[in-house]
Amino acid sequence: MTDLKLARRVTSIRVSPSAAAAQKARDLKAEGRDILDLTVGEPDFDTPDSIKDVGIKAIRSGETKYTPVNGTIALQNAIQHDFGTRLGLEFGHDQISVGGGGKQVIFAALMATVEEGDEVIIPAPYWVSYPDMVVANGGTPVIVPCGEEAGFKLTPEALVAAITPNTRWLILNTPSNPTGVAYTPAELTALGEVLKRHPQVFILCDEIYDRIWFADVPVQSIVSAVPDLTDRALVINGVSKSHAMTGWRIGYGVGPVKLIGAINKLQSQMSSCPSSISQAAAAAALTGDQSSIESSVAVYRQRRDRAVALINAIPGLRCRVPDGAFYLFPSCAGLIGKKTPDGKVIRNDLDFGIYLLETVGVASVHGGAYGMEPYFRISTATSMEIIEAACERIAKACAALA
């Protein structure tokens, strides 16, 4: 049998490290291992019943046909309503793209605009998929380290140094996965002033976590902070994280007409349209009662505060307090070079993550997967009981190092 030759766009990218870590945890659980899984970036809350009911009604009333590529009118109106009421942003229907999750819209945007030789600036730590999406579409990821001393944020100076004539995009994720940090309006404005001087650079604003927000000031988009960038910004959002609808697979982007038209053209050839049933539920999620978000964010805040306190009480670890999302990104720098009870040296954060998994059954994702060592990511989108038990196990494992 002749071997299938795979395209370079596939062989040059990785399987998502976070997905791989989650699958490893599931496999060990299936083998009967006692695993506390802190890898998954998925709300542990169920989709609210009011949203489920709309999906069920859509099935029973026959809303089971193809929809327009860029979504039903009801969902487009709901997206306009959400962006307008929360962020003060106004977009026409021809500026909206709806996909099977925000990830699909991001990938299609890069596919529509990036060619061989084009560069995409990605501040690190970054969501694991950004660099591989760029590579898959023939571009070059330009990774800009944004260390803890900079608050894990891109500075105007670092942005200036990274921009070249080949720069096509800056990807800005706020609040961030994996750190949970968010840019202030002043920081967004400062970055915007740099971008104004480089009109060839578009901004991909991934704001999927902006409803899971803990700061006292309102969340703000770079487009609302710097309106002059509206004509070259793609703002990504969705209902997966905010409304506990990960499996419904609805995300969307709003941006310039030409860009959105290109994304929708690609989608017309790839998937035709997202699920009509999911679209009906998403429209209800965006326009209906938002109290489920308020209650879930209150719980996420409690979990964040407890987990940060427990992690920071462990010698060798330290953790910043996130502004939003449901992740912690602790440093394990204080443990690098130490030895495990069986004599193995912890050389990096990957070794540390393997050590936690194999010795105390705590699954995490190593910081190198996000472009920043030596850190590890843990998700607080799980119960307080699991968080406390996992931190107790992590403390036990750290104490055993010499």
Side-chain angles (χ1 to χ4, degrees), residues 26-197:
R26 286 191 289 268
D27 291 343
L28 290 173
K29 283 184 178 181
E31 294 172 6
R33 290 281 302 277
D34 176 20
I35 302 296
L36 298 180
D37 186 2
L38 303 183
T39 66
V40 181
E42 179 175 47
D44 58 323
F45 300 105
D46 200 4
T47 305
D49 286 342
S50 59
I51 298 173
K52 291 182 186 176
D53 289 343
V54 172
I56 293 169
K57 181 180 178 182
I59 295 171
R60 296 195 182 283
S61 63
E63 295 182 51
T64 56
K65 310 297 184 184
Y66 290 128
T67 75
V69 173
N70 64 332
T72 63
I73 294 298
L75 180 53
Q76 292 178 39
N77 289 340
I79 293 167
Q80 287 179 320
H81 169 80
D82 180 61
F83 275 101
T85 55
R86 290 198 306 111
L87 300 172
L89 304 179
E90 296 184 0
F91 294 90
H93 284 193
D94 58 354
Q95 294 179 272
I96 298 172
S97 179
V98 179
K103 180 183 281 190
Q104 184 186 40
V105 181
I106 294 171
F107 194 96
L110 295 172
M111 182 182 290
T113 57
V114 173
E115 296 182 309
E116 202 75 34
D118 289 336
E119 297 173 353
V120 177
I121 296 173
I122 304 174
Y126 48 71
W127 178 45
V128 294
S129 292
Y130 295 142
D132 289 289
M133 286 181 172
V134 173
V135 170
N137 286 294
T140 301
V142 176
I143 307 302
V144 181
C146 303
E148 197 169 353
E149 70 283 354
F152 295 127
K153 298 179 187 180
L154 181 67
T155 64
E157 296 76 15
L159 176 58
V160 168
I163 293 175
T164 77
N166 295 323
T167 305
R168 293 284 283 158
W169 286 96
L170 162 66
I171 298 181
L172 205 60
N173 179 207
T174 178
S176 159
N177 173 7
T179 65
V181 302
Y183 290 81
T184 67
E187 290 166 339
L188 292 172
T189 299
L191 293 174
E193 290 303 314
V194 174
L195 292 165
K196 286 181 185 179
R197 303 196 296 269

Side-chain angles (χ1 to χ4, degrees), residues 190-265:
L191 293 174
E193 290 303 314
V194 174
L195 292 165
K196 286 181 185 179
R197 303 196 296 269
H198 298 276
Q200 86 278 14
V201 182
F202 275 63
I203 309 95
L204 197 159
C205 314
D206 185 351
E207 301 175 359
I208 192 72
Y209 293 99
D210 74 344
R211 299 291 290 268
I212 305 171
W213 180 248
F214 308 126
D216 294 330
V217 296
V219 68
Q220 191 166 24
S221 170
I222 194 171
V223 179
S224 51
V226 192
D228 289 350
L229 298 178
T230 301
D231 64 350
R232 51 192 174 104
L234 175 66
V235 183
I236 301 293
N237 216 307
V239 293
S240 291
K241 313 295 184 178
S242 56
H243 295 81
M245 296 177 66
T246 51
W248 297 77
R249 304 314 301 135
I250 294 292
Y252 41 85
V254 296
V257 171
K258 185 176 181 179
L259 173 62
I260 293 298
I263 294 171
N264 288 339
K265 180 193 289 187

